[in-house]
Amino acid sequence: QTCALPISYTITIDRAGKLVNFAWVASSGSELLDKIMQEALQSISLYPAMPSFVSGDTYTQTWIFLH
C-alpha cells in the first residue's frame, strides 16, 4: 500500500517532558503505518523537559514528513 505525503502530526508536551496529546494533522493513508508511528511516539516515556525560556505549562509542535 502506498502512503500519502506529507504526513504530519501534532504533539503537546508538558513542562516535565510528558506527552499529553497526540493528534494527526495529515494521515499517511495507511492504517498500519499510522498505528506504528502513533504507538512509537506514545511509547516514549519522557521527552526533553521544556527550557526555562519557554512560557506556559505545555508546548505544542507540529511535525511534517515530506519523504
Side-chain angles (χ1 to χ4, degrees), residues 4-37:
L5 293 176
I7 301 166
S8 59
Y9 60 87
T10 298
I11 59 173
T12 302
I13 301 165
D14 70 10
R15 290 214 69 83
K18 180 182 175 192
L19 180 70
V20 294
N21 189 46
F22 173 93
W24 285 104
V25 175
S27 164
S28 70
S30 166
E31 285 184 41
L32 179 60
L33 178 58
D34 289 350
K35 181 180 178 184
I36 290 168
M37 287 182 67

Side-chain angles (χ1 to χ4, degrees), residues 30-52:
S30 166
E31 285 184 41
L32 179 60
L33 178 58
D34 289 350
K35 181 180 178 184
I36 290 168
M37 287 182 67
Q38 185 168 351
E39 286 177 358
L41 291 164
Q42 290 175 326
S43 72
I44 298 171
S45 60
L46 197 62
Y47 287 82
M50 290 172 38
S52 60

